[in-house]
Amino acid sequence: MGRHFLRNVMFGLCGLLACAALSGSAEAHEGHDHGAPQPPQVTTLAPRAEAASADFELVAVLRDGLLTIYLDRFADNAPVEGAAVEVDTPEGSQPAKPAGPGTYVLPAPFAATPGAHDIAFTVTAGHAVEVLAATLTVPAAAATASDMQMAAPAVLAQLGVLPVGVLAGFLVGFLAGALVMSRRRVGALLILGSLGVALAGAPQGAWAADTQPPARDAAQRLPDGSVIVPKPTQRILGVRTLVAGAGTFAGTVELPGRVVPDANASGLVQTAVGGRLAPPEGGFKPLGTKVAAGEILAYVHPPIGASDLKDLEQQGYELDQQIALVKRRYERLSAIPNAVTRREVEEAEIELKGLQTRRARLERVQREPEALRAPVSGVIAAADAVAGQMADPNTVVFRIVDPGRLWVEALGFSPDAGRSGATGRLPNGRTVDLTFLGAGLPERAQALPLLFSVASDTGELRPGQFLTVFAEAGAPRIGIAIPRSAVVRGANGQSIVYAHVSAERFVSLEVKTQPLDATRVLVVAGLSPGQRVVTDGAELIDQIR
């Protein structure tokens, strides 16, 4: 019984040793290290060459025997269109053909030979002529005949060699145990030892071939935090840059503001007396309708009580009697012109016309409504008119505003803020130029009201909109002015800009900013003059991982 127990133990030990040898070899090969995580690796890019001058920046990419040239302006990274590019290669000089905005191509048979190839690019764009020199390095082919022999183990490694190793270990253990059970224990031990040494000393490459990923131009973030953005991707993202330059700028304060109508180009339509509203010919005007000054917008029929109506009727009867008496007297006097003076005839005529006018006005009081007219030309911004509605005196029925003439009212703490210049920024990012009009004396919430007129196109501005006013005030400041779109917010909340350090490499810089105006901020720390800063596409670059 003891011998059977020893045999079972030998079976288990042999299986475990062989399983550990095979599975350990499978788990420890490249790409499957379960120790400390490896830093991210740079994705292999296609062979390329870079060159730059004061005017141009050039990147040449080799792919499938074709050399694609991306030509941009150095300052703003905009593609250079309509340029003539002459390329001096080891096989001679040949022109590149346009293949898109700022893109040029030419065949590159010389690149079939691995190694470094010196290339010169002669760029002619308008009056600018530049010669850019670069070196294109073509690596040797990665695949060889010996690599093809390792294809089978590599496939095995890609399919998951751990389960295969475990299965093979049990098989080897069974074989070893069977040998141990035989009488030739010395030979069994020698075979088992040789197999263990062979498995333990097998190179990692025998189980997984060192396969390289195919060359592809993909944007990626490097372990040091910099970002690689190939030129084709920069064109898609619309990346634009600006060469930073220091300067002295006026101090700026941010003020809360609100759009209000111009008092000289807006008005209210109110009722003078109470009454019932009635539409004019064509009906009430809808919101947004353009109206002219003096145009009738509505009628108000004043109500007349029963007692008032009887008084008016009595006055009408009295006037009718007086008109009849004066009319007869006038007719008699007119019939005997030689017996009376001309003066008596004229007085009777004037008295008759006066009575008739009073009678006509009395009729209009009963029947003619009050006409509500537009005080200024503009558009109807607000309306509260319904047919048959009873309106009290001084009721606002229509509000008319000229959208081309608007003001901005802001609250500040200095009456001189904005006198030398101001701009406004809406929540959607749109900016407007403002001109200072004046400052009020009474305080509102411990602040002074400041009034500005909109100097630029009012566009989508509407009365009542809120905006931020950037008014010049305070002592001058020294710094670098950059667009607001260049500044992004980092993961720690710090303001970040991206510097364009090479043709396809961008580095993030932490900066300290202060408000400058509606479109720019002032960088007072973290950025040096002469550096190229990304102005368009910074948020997209910041999202690359």
Side-chain angles (χ1 to χ4, degrees):
M1 181 175 179
R3 297 180 60 185
H4 289 289
F5 176 76
L6 292 176
R7 290 176 183 176
N8 293 334
V9 171
M10 291 300 297
F11 270 115
L13 290 177
C14 292
L16 289 176
L17 289 175
C19 178
L22 289 175
S23 60
S25 177
E27 291 180 355
H29 71 80
E30 183 179 359
H32 292 273
D33 187 6
H34 295 280
Q38 297 295 327
Q41 300 296 324
V42 179
T43 303
T44 303
L45 299 177
R48 60 217 311 113
E50 299 181 6
S53 66
D55 296 325
F56 304 110
E57 186 175 60
L58 182 145
V59 175
V61 181
L62 177 65
R63 188 180 295 276
D64 298 331
L66 192 67
L67 192 66
T68 304
I69 303 170
Y70 299 95
L71 182 63
D72 298 331
R73 286 198 295 265
F74 182 82
D76 58 5
N77 203 50
V80 179
E81 301 184 37
V85 181
E86 189 78 15
V87 184
D88 292 332
T89 67
E91 296 183 355
S93 178
Q94 53 181 326
K97 298 181 180 180
T103 306
Y104 307 86
V105 297
L106 81 158
F110 64 90
T113 303
H117 304 277
D118 295 330
I119 306 175
F121 303 89
T122 303
V123 179
T124 304
H127 300 288
V129 179
E130 294 281 354
V131 178
L132 306 176
T135 301
L136 178 65
T137 302
V138 180
T144 60
S146 59
D147 295 333
M148 298 301 294
Q149 296 177 0
M150 303 297 296
V155 173
L156 181 60
Q158 293 177 0
L159 292 177
V161 296
L162 181 58
V164 178
V166 173
L167 180 59
F170 278 113
L171 293 177
V172 172
F174 179 78
L175 178 60
L179 292 175
V180 171
M181 291 174 60
S182 65
R183 296 180 178 180
R184 300 180 180 180
R185 291 183 174 83
V186 177
L189 293 175
L190 290 177
I191 295 175
L192 182 60
S194 301
L195 179 61
V197 172
L199 293 175
Q204 297 180 0
W207 293 95
D210 188 11
T211 57
Q212 296 293 335
R216 60 189 184 95
D217 291 344
Q220 56 199 292
R221 187 176 293 272
L222 302 183
D224 61 356
S226 62
V227 182
I228 296 296
V229 184
K231 277 295 180 181
T233 306
Q234 295 183 31
R235 302 282 177 85
I236 296 175
L237 301 181
V239 177
R240 295 292 181 268
T241 60
L242 172 71
V243 179
T248 303
F249 303 90
T252 305
V253 293
E254 293 187 19
L255 307 176
R258 182 172 61 93
V259 180
V260 297
D262 187 339
N264 301 315
S266 61
L268 302 177
V269 179
Q270 295 179 281
T271 58
V273 296
R276 191 178 302 277
L277 293 179
E281 184 179 358
F284 293 118
K285 306 290 185 183
L287 293 175
T289 303
K290 293 184 178 180
V291 295
E295 185 176 350
I296 297 177
L297 302 180
Y299 290 104
V300 178
H301 294 272
I304 301 177
S307 58
D308 295 336
L309 184 59
K310 289 182 178 181
D311 292 341
L312 292 175
E313 290 179 353
Q314 185 65 30
Q315 292 179 12
Y317 294 151
E318 293 176 357
L319 288 174
D320 291 339
Q321 291 178 0
Q322 295 178 10
I323 290 173
L325 293 175
V326 174
K327 184 177 181 181
R328 286 184 180 182
R329 188 178 62 175
Y330 172 71
E331 290 176 352
R332 285 196 305 267
L333 294 176
S334 299
I336 53 174
N338 297 329
V340 296
T341 62
R342 182 64 182 171
R343 175 184 174 183
E344 294 177 346
V345 177
E346 291 178 354
E347 288 179 353
E349 182 182 4
I350 293 173
E351 185 178 359
L352 177 61
K353 289 182 178 179
L355 292 173
Q356 290 175 346
T357 302
R358 289 175 59 188
R359 187 68 178 88
R361 290 180 178 178
L362 186 62
E363 291 290 337
R364 286 198 298 269
V365 169
Q366 300 180 20
R367 300 177 183 178
E368 185 176 357
E370 176 191 5
L372 302 182
R373 301 178 181 272
V376 295
S377 298
V379 299
I380 298 178
D384 186 16
V386 179
Q389 174 186 354
M390 292 300 297
D392 296 330
N394 302 325
T395 299
V396 178
V397 183
F398 294 97
R399 185 184 299 271
I400 300 174
V401 175
D402 185 354
R405 298 174 60 182
L406 298 174
W407 289 348
V408 172
E409 186 182 62
L411 296 178
F413 300 96
S414 172
D416 297 327
R419 289 184 180 273
S420 57
T423 55
R425 181 180 177 85
L426 296 170
N428 60 0
R430 185 173 176 269
T431 61
V432 292
D433 297 330
L434 304 177
T435 301
F436 182 81
L437 293 180
L441 296 179
E443 293 186 354
R444 297 181 185 176
Q446 300 182 351
L448 298 176
L450 306 175
L451 197 61
F452 302 87
S453 65
V454 180
S456 58
D457 184 17
T458 56
E460 300 177 356
L461 287 180
R462 294 292 181 270
Q465 280 184 314
F466 292 97
L467 73 165
T468 303
V469 177
F470 298 88
E472 295 183 3
R477 298 169 297 173
I478 299 177
I480 299 174
I482 61 175
R484 290 179 174 270
S485 59
V487 183
V488 297
R489 190 69 62 183
N492 58 353
Q494 179 68 31
S495 297
I496 292 176
V497 299
Y498 278 90
H500 194 186
V501 296
S502 64
E504 298 179 326
R505 186 167 175 262
F506 300 84
V507 176
S508 61
L509 303 176
E510 293 187 354
V511 295
K512 180 181 179 181
T513 63
Q514 296 178 359
L516 183 58
D517 55 35
T519 59
R520 301 177 299 170
V521 296
L522 189 67
V523 179
V524 296
L527 186 63
S528 303
Q531 289 183 297
R532 288 189 296 170
V533 180
V534 177
T535 58
D536 295 340
E539 292 186 359
L540 300 176
I541 294 177
D542 188 58
Q543 296 177 9
I544 296 175
R545 297 293 181 264

